[in-house]
Amino acid sequence: MTENTKEQKGKFIVFEGPDGSGKTTQIKLIYEYLRHELTEDIIMTKEPGGTEISNKIRQILLDPDNVLLEDLTEVFLYAASRAQHVKELIKPHLDQGFYVLCDRFVDSTIAYQGYGRGLDVSLIKKLNTVAAQGLQPNLSFYIMVKPEIAMQRIAQSRSFDRLEQNEISFYQNLYRGYLALLEEDDSKHYINGEQTVTEVNEDIKKVLQKKL
Ligand code: TYD
């Protein structure tokens, strides 16, 4: 498990994975589970978003009309949204001893904009170390589904935002990116997202029971 600054009393737990991985269902289930298991307070949040200002940036990022949005602009907007989110919501809660569960964080930008869109991964890492004030998740769960399955699941859901209009090659690169990130340290945990909701949930709980 990654350790942050001395003042941080709480734990920062992040859920990652491609669209269609079932990550959002899982974070909600784990939130309910931990609320009953822990004596500490807990909040659940998401990126891009989490605060009023970050949500305004989210609207620009997801708007299907923004076809002219440049890749680099996108990277800066995710970092800007994150800087606000960390400063206004995440850090203050961690400093007070909360458990903070977050749907996506820096690794989403590395996987989507870096590996997916082909932007410089080292630049994204540097920019986001600044945006996140060096904050790293204590624990991350990568709910992984193969690109073909992710695409099938997305096609079955009715709404398509700007970011869900991508080719299979984008999802293949994204998947590769997540696998590369998983290798980086042992605070990141691979979870097979192709199982049933209950099985995925049990796998996450097993890791939590061991690590927390
Ligand atoms: P959202 O509707 O919240 O989807 P999900 O439930 O899958 O998280 O939209 C978030 C989209 O933003 C999703 O397609 C992934 C993308 N994204 C990036 O491309 N880079 C990032 O840094 C983040 C946080 C999200």
Side-chain angles (χ1 to χ4, degrees):
M1 192 155 40
T2 305
E3 298 299 332
N4 284 304
T5 56
K6 280 202 204 92
E7 317 82 86
Q8 186 194 309
K9 292 197 231 127
K11 295 265 179 272
F12 185 37
I13 304 175
V14 168
F15 290 72
E16 290 285 354
D19 300 278
S21 63
K23 163 181 66 52
T24 307
T25 304
Q26 291 300 331
I27 193 173
K28 287 183 188 153
L29 292 171
I30 293 298
Y31 172 73
E32 288 306 326
Y33 167 73
L34 289 179
R35 241 163 39 100
H36 292 101
E37 288 293 305
L38 297 172
T39 50
E40 290 88 347
D41 288 317
I42 178 165
I43 57 164
M44 180 171 55
T45 185
K46 73 174 295 177
E47 291 208 339
T51 71
E52 206 179 321
I53 294 169
S54 305
N55 273 319
K56 288 183 182 164
I57 300 172
R58 175 185 171 89
Q59 282 166 20
I60 303 173
L61 282 162
L62 301 189
D63 186 344
D65 290 340
N66 284 343
V67 281
L68 293 180
L69 194 70
E70 291 290 338
D71 289 350
L72 197 56
T73 313
E74 199 183 18
V75 166
F76 283 121
L77 287 175
Y78 279 115
S81 162
R82 182 163 299 131
Q84 186 67 31
H85 190 204
V86 168
K87 183 89 184 173
E88 189 185 329
L89 189 94
I90 300 176
K91 274 223 166 173
H93 279 88
L94 290 174
D95 292 346
Q96 287 174 55
F98 276 67
Y99 273 65
V100 178
L101 304 189
C102 191
D103 191 338
R104 303 195 178 283
F105 196 58
V106 172
D107 287 355
S108 277
T109 315
I110 300 173
Y112 277 78
Q113 281 64 50
Y115 286 86
R117 301 220 191 279
L119 269 85
D120 182 352
V121 167
S122 66
L123 170 77
I124 294 176
K125 285 186 175 174
K126 271 189 225 141
L127 182 63
N128 279 281
T129 302
V130 178
Q133 299 171 60
L135 176 70
Q136 289 176 20
N138 298 103
L139 207 58
S140 312
F141 293 102
Y142 281 47
I143 321 261
M144 298 295 289
V145 290
K146 284 188 207 73
E148 306 73 40
I149 296 188
M151 283 201 86
Q152 271 169 25
R153 290 189 185 175
I154 294 165
Q156 279 158 9
S157 71
R158 269 162 290 151
S159 70
F160 276 81
D161 62 35
R162 192 183 60 82
L163 298 155
E164 286 168 348
Q165 303 164 345
N166 290 301
E167 304 284 325
I168 182 82
S169 61
F170 176 85
Y171 291 97
Q172 283 162 343
N173 290 333
L174 180 67
Y175 187 80
R176 200 170 49 80
Y178 272 130
L179 291 184
L181 285 167
L182 263 165
E183 298 287 307
E184 284 184 358
D185 69 77
D186 60 9
S187 69
K188 303 178 184 189
H189 295 268
Y190 174 96
I191 302 288
N192 175 5
E194 294 176 18
Q195 310 174 92
T196 65
V197 171
T198 313
E199 286 166 339
V200 174
N201 195 243
E202 287 304 318
D203 282 0
I204 299 172
K205 282 193 211 161
K206 272 185 215 146
V207 177
L208 283 170
Q209 282 153 5
K210 215 163 29 168
K211 296 278 169 179
L212 295 183

